[in-house]
Amino acid sequence: MFNKILVGYDGSPNARKALLAALELAKKYGAPITAVSVAHVPDFADTRDEVNGVLEDAKNFFAQALAEAQNLATREGVTLTTKVVPGHPADTLARLVEEEGYDLLVLGARGLSGIKRYLLGSVSEAMVRLANCPVLIIKGKK
C-alpha cells in the first residue's frame, strides 16, 4: 500500500512521534522513508548572501535532529534518507510529494513554529488540502 514515505521533520517532539509512526509503517510495508526539514528562507532578502546564510544556519540547526532520525531508523532496520530543502514548508512538502512520487506524508500536528500558526496557519492543515497523497497527522498530548 505504501511504497515510499515522506516525513516532515523539524526535531520537535511531535515530529519525532510522526517519525516513529512512519517507521512502524515502513517496517510493515517495506517502504523507505525520506525525512525532510524545510528551511523557510526570507521572503524579501537584501542579498543572495543573506539567503545563503539562512540556508547554512538551517542545515546546521537541522543536522542534529536529522542525525537522530537516522539513528532511530537504523535501529529499526528502515532505510531513511534525510535532507534539508529551502522554501515554505507546506508548498515545499506538496511539491516533493508530487515530484518524487511519495505514497504517504506523515507530519506532527505542531512543530517548532507553533506560535506562527496563529499568523500563518498550520502546515499540517495545509497539507491535508495540498498533498496529492494520503496525509497522516500525528497529534501529541496537550
Side-chain angles (χ1 to χ4, degrees):
M1 177 173 217
F2 300 119
N3 299 312
K4 196 172 175 185
I5 300 171
L6 180 65
V7 177
Y9 195 75
D10 62 7
S12 67
N14 283 345
R16 189 175 196 282
K17 290 175 187 174
L19 176 64
L20 294 173
L23 289 170
E24 288 300 315
L25 289 168
K27 286 192 297 189
K28 180 175 182 172
Y29 293 105
I33 297 175
T34 299
V36 63
S37 298
V38 181
H40 190 119
V41 296
D43 291 327
F44 301 99
D46 290 331
T47 66
R48 187 139 183 71
D49 288 339
E50 183 180 349
V51 172
N52 289 337
V54 169
L55 292 176
E56 190 60 35
D57 289 347
K59 286 180 183 177
N60 292 333
F61 177 80
F62 289 126
Q64 184 176 356
L66 290 171
E68 176 194 5
Q70 186 66 64
N71 289 337
L72 287 170
T74 299
R75 278 189 290 211
E76 295 296 324
V78 174
T79 300
L80 182 120
T81 303
T82 63
K83 59 183 162 181
V84 178
V85 295
H88 179 277
D91 294 338
T92 301
L93 290 171
R95 180 182 50 79
L96 287 172
V97 163
E98 186 168 337
E99 289 178 358
E100 298 183 16
Y102 290 97
D103 304 303
L104 177 67
L105 173 62
V106 183
L107 301 166
R110 281 208 172 129
L112 292 175
S113 59
I115 193 72
K116 290 183 183 178
R117 178 177 187 266
Y118 297 103
L119 301 173
L120 303 174
S122 167
V123 172
S124 58
E125 289 171 5
M127 293 318 305
V128 170
R129 293 188 311 273
L130 295 173
N132 66 356
C133 71
V135 178
L136 175 60
I137 300 170
I138 303 300
K139 291 185 171 189
K141 293 184 178 182
K142 293 184 178 183

